[in-house]
């Protein structure tokens, strides 16, 4: 098989570089081999070709449900220990399509817009909890917001002990998962050894058991006390039937809920953390945002906020320069394919490299510079700008995450006066299977009344 060139170092070395320093590793590969190269992360999976030119991405992401290419769930086994075998991410073919159809409406259109006020209330609640003058961890606060949003809005879970336990244990589990030792266990199965509650894998397994129990308890309660007026996602999933009339099993329900909880809150929290950092690090950006927010009255409906052009550009640029998902899920070549000068044989694995595409000098001049105006000056195609991937596995929460980002950022900027706690450099680091900022803190000054936004914008 003739694959595009790539590093010649042993697989284990490539895997370690991918785990410990994915960004410099990819940049070096691009520098050396161009916008397609092959790396090998494990013997089990075999070589994977990384693509970062829009023409190739177009072929991959428009042909991933055809005789040319496919997006089988089995290739995403890396998420299985956390999300389970029945997660939509692990499903293929018709089962995958059906599950997506079931999940998508909760994250789109009217249903999504109905969460607007709740998102703003939760933001005010969480930022309002921060003591004035005392530094707080931005990631923790953003995680709290995005988890509360998904638990309350999408899952319809109300305040109570179960809700609070879920918030605590899930937060702890995801933090643990972001550490290099846990990431290594995701990629290298032989590291998955339970040496008791203090060992990395042992604590993961115990946290996961607790979360499973909380989810199963919720399912049981809903079965015992059905409520015909509920429209949340758990209710929808519980009432769904396949063509043979069968309902989802408890295990399937658990895996889908866990998927939405993890995929839906960790990613958005990271994007929000970056957006807050950038808007407070760059006074010009913050000022321009405040100017734009001032054009709306304090009780503007969430829809008008989400249509603000500069706010949208800031969110787009945040996800461009620091895409939370570094890669798309892998696709597999089904019939011989000519792609970007290479002949790919059936069975070849390919991924879209979101990070490198978003840092192409020809598409984004001075790619390491944060410049929201790019998105006002030019329209990018879905193969030039793809923070949510594309094709048959395009992110289910895309519209929802964008909506949430804009509402949270606008609520924080217009209602609170925050500043970075210090000048420490914030770096892009791996966080589990995704990428995010190294930890940093901010300080809340006096909460402000909406009318003060105008004064700040002009100061
Ligand atoms: C800023 C926030 C987010 C980013 C950057 C992001 C990014 C991505 C990316 C890159 C993919 C892979 C797409 C591909 O392979 O083509 C993906 C898939 C997925 N995302 Fe997101 N995501 C975000 C938020 C969310 C939210 C809020 C949810 C749901 C509540 C969600 C649920 C999913 C699911 C279920 C998949 C798998 C889809 C499938 O396998 O068919 N994501 N996301």
């Amino acid at each position: 098989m003739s694959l595009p060139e790539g590093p010649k170092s042993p697989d284990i070395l490539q895997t370690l570089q991918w785990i410990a320093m994915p960004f410099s590793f990819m940049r070096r590969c691009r520098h050396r081999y161009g916008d397609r190269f092959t790396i090998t992360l494990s013997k089990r999976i075999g070589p994977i070709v990384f693509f970062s030119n829009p023409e190739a991405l177009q072929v991959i992401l428009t042909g991933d449900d055809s005789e040319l290419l496919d997006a089988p769930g089995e290739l995403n086994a890396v998420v299985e220990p956390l999300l389970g075998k029945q997660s939509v991410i692990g499903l293929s073919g018709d089962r995958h399509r059906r599950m997506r159809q079931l999940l998508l409406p909760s994250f789109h259109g009217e249903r999504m817009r109905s969460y607007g006020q709740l998102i703003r209330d939760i933001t005010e609640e969480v930022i309002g909890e921060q003591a004035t003058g005392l530094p707080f961890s931005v990631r923790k606060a953003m995680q709290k917001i995005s988890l509360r949003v998904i638990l309350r809005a999408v899952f319809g879970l109300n305040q109570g002990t179960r809700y609070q336990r879920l918030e605590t244990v899930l937060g702890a589990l995801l933090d643990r998962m972001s550490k290099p030792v846990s990431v290594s266990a995701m990629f290298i199965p032989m590291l998955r050894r339970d040496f008791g509650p203090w060992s990395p894998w042992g604590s993961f397994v115990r946290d996961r058991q607790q979360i499973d129990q909380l989810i199963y308890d919720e399912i049981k309660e809903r079965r015992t006390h059905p409520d015909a007026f509920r429209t949340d996602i758990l209710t929808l999933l519980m009432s769904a039937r396949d063509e043979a009339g069968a309902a989802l099993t408890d295990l399937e329900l658990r895996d889908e809920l866990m998927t939405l909880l993890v995929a839906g809150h960790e990613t958005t929290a990271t994007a929000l953390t970056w957006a807050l950092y950038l808007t407070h690090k760059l006074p010009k950006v913050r000022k321009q945002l405040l100017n734009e927010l001032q054009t709306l009255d304090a009780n503007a409906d969430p829809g008008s906020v989400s249509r603000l052009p500069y706010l949208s550009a800031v969110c787009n640029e945040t996800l461009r320069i620091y895409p939370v998902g570094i890669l798309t899920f892998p696709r597999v070549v089904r019939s011989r394919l000519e792609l970007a000068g290479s002949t790919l044989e059936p069975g070849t694995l390919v991924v879209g490299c979101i990070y490198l595409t978003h840092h192409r000098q020809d598409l984004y001049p001075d790619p390491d510079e944060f410049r929201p105006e790019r998105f006002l000056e030019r329209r990018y195609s879905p193969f030039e700008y793809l923070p949510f991937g594309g094709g048959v596995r395009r992110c289910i929460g895309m519209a929802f995450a964008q909506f949430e980002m804009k509402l949270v950022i606008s609520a924080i900027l217009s209602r609170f006066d925050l500043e970075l706690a210090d000048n420490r450099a914030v770096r892009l680091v791996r966080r589990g299977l995704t990428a995010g900022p190294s930890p940093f803190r901010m300080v809340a000054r006096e909460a402000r009344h909406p009318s003060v936004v105008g004064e700040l914008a002009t100061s």
Side-chain angles (χ1 to χ4, degrees):
M1 196 186 295
S2 91
L3 292 170
E5 266 200 291
K8 313 276 179 300
S9 46
D11 302 355
I12 186 69
L13 249 182
Q14 296 188 37
T15 309
L16 290 178
Q17 290 182 84
W18 175 245
I19 292 172
M21 44 180 126
F23 313 104
S24 53
F25 182 46
M26 285 186 293
R27 280 175 181 255
R28 271 201 310 277
C29 288
R30 181 195 47 195
H31 184 68
R32 187 132 187 219
Y33 308 107
D35 53 16
R36 57 180 170 64
F37 51 83
T38 306
I39 71 174
T40 305
L41 296 178
S42 93
K43 280 258 172 328
R44 196 166 43 95
I45 302 177
I48 305 179
V49 189
F50 280 46
F51 284 95
S52 57
N53 85 57
E55 294 74 33
L57 291 173
Q58 179 160 12
V59 174
I60 295 169
L61 297 175
T62 52
D64 62 354
D65 185 20
S66 71
E67 68 284 358
L68 278 185
L69 292 139
D70 187 11
E74 299 79 54
L75 294 177
N76 306 331
V78 68
V79 300
E80 204 184 290
L82 183 59
L83 308 183
K85 281 188 172 25
Q86 307 298 328
S87 158
V88 62
I89 297 178
L91 300 181
S92 306
D94 283 346
R95 286 189 68 205
H96 173 242
R97 241 186 309 277
R98 268 204 306 275
M99 189 53 79
R100 278 182 69 94
Q101 274 163 13
L102 217 56
L103 298 175
L104 270 165
S106 294
F107 300 100
H108 278 88
E110 244 345 279
R111 180 79 56 76
M112 175 188 85
R113 281 189 286 277
S114 72
Y115 308 142
Q117 192 49 47
L118 186 57
I119 295 176
R120 291 206 282 216
D121 293 346
I122 290 173
T123 306
E124 293 200 7
E125 176 184 297
V126 172
I127 304 296
E129 279 167 10
Q130 313 304 326
T132 309
L134 286 184
F136 65 92
S137 153
V138 179
R139 160 158 292 280
K140 285 211 167 78
M142 295 305 108
Q143 271 178 330
K144 238 184 206 174
I145 293 176
S146 64
L147 187 58
R148 283 187 192 175
V149 166
I150 198 139
L151 285 176
R152 281 197 224 160
V154 186
F155 285 30
L157 224 70
N158 292 316
Q159 302 272 30
T161 323
R162 189 174 304 139
Y163 166 94
Q164 262 148 23
R165 289 289 306 147
L166 254 178
E167 191 174 303
T168 312
V169 188
L170 195 66
L173 178 117
L174 290 175
D175 264 346
R176 239 194 289 279
M177 298 282 300
S178 67
K179 307 272 181 309
V181 61
S182 308
V183 185
S184 308
M186 306 281 276
F187 285 102
I188 308 169
M190 73 181 186
L191 297 179
R192 297 179 199 161
R193 301 269 183 87
D194 182 352
F195 293 115
W198 301 108
S199 64
W201 193 253
S203 56
F204 164 75
V205 170
R206 281 160 187 80
D207 282 350
R208 187 183 59 190
Q209 273 164 357
Q210 284 194 55
I211 297 170
D212 286 357
Q213 196 50 56
L214 292 164
I215 294 180
Y216 286 130
D217 289 348
E218 182 68 22
I219 296 173
K220 192 166 163 206
E221 191 177 305
R222 302 278 183 109
R223 286 204 202 287
T224 329
H225 306 289
D227 177 349
F229 295 101
R230 295 190 81 128
T231 55
D232 59 76
I233 197 147
L234 177 52
T235 309
L236 289 180
L237 289 173
M238 286 176 75
S239 55
R241 297 290 175 268
D242 66 14
E243 60 275 24
L248 295 179
T249 63
D250 282 6
L251 183 68
E252 286 172 311
L253 288 171
R254 176 269 175 211
D255 288 358
E256 251 36 91
L257 292 187
M258 189 72 156
T259 300
L260 298 175
L261 273 178
V262 174
H265 109 277
E266 173 75 0
T267 45
T268 314
T270 299
L272 284 169
T273 308
W274 273 127
L276 265 196
Y277 172 72
L278 293 161
T279 47
H280 289 78
K281 181 80 185 162
L282 305 167
K284 261 172 67 185
V285 173
R286 178 162 172 265
K287 192 167 174 188
Q288 197 162 335
L289 252 184
L290 285 168
N291 271 331
E292 189 181 63
L293 290 171
Q294 196 197 354
T295 61
L296 292 180
D297 73 72
N299 299 317
D301 72 294
S304 337
V305 175
S306 77
R307 285 189 294 275
L308 288 172
Y310 192 68
L311 176 61
S312 304
V314 166
C315 294
N316 285 342
E317 178 69 343
T318 302
L319 287 171
R320 179 199 68 83
I321 195 163
Y322 298 126
V324 183
I326 314 168
L327 305 175
T328 66
F329 288 119
R331 272 56 169 182
V332 62
V333 173
R334 290 296 181 209
S335 13
R336 189 179 244 229
L337 180 63
E338 294 292 334
L339 201 55
S342 297
T343 307
L344 304 179
E345 297 296 335
T348 308
L349 299 189
V350 298
V351 290
C353 187
I354 301 174
Y355 175 80
L356 288 181
T357 310
H358 285 188
H359 287 82
R360 287 180 69 101
Q361 172 73 31
D362 59 346
L363 295 175
Y364 304 99
D366 300 319
D368 295 327
E369 199 180 303
F370 184 81
R371 219 174 59 78
E373 290 73 17
R374 310 174 192 277
F375 286 90
L376 302 174
E377 293 158 3
R378 179 178 163 175
R379 279 182 87 84
Y380 290 95
S381 84
F383 314 106
E384 294 170 336
Y385 179 67
L386 64 160
F388 298 96
V392 289
R393 288 205 180 265
R394 190 174 83 175
C395 177
I396 284 178
M398 175 170 121
F400 180 75
Q402 290 172 319
F403 185 65
E404 181 176 347
M405 266 181 91
K406 293 182 212 171
L407 289 184
V408 173
I409 295 299
S410 64
I412 294 180
L413 261 88
S414 44
R415 303 294 300 225
F416 297 92
D417 197 2
L418 303 182
E419 62 185 15
L420 292 167
D422 53 53
N423 275 329
R424 225 177 312 156
V426 172
R427 290 168 300 113
L428 175 62
V429 293
R430 180 188 268 292
R431 270 195 63 85
L433 297 175
T434 59
S438 55
F440 67 95
R441 299 189 301 167
M442 290 181 101
V443 186
R445 293 196 291 224
E446 292 292 293
R448 61 172 173 257
H449 188 270
S451 62
V452 186
V453 178
E455 290 163 33
L456 273 153
T458 47
S459 67

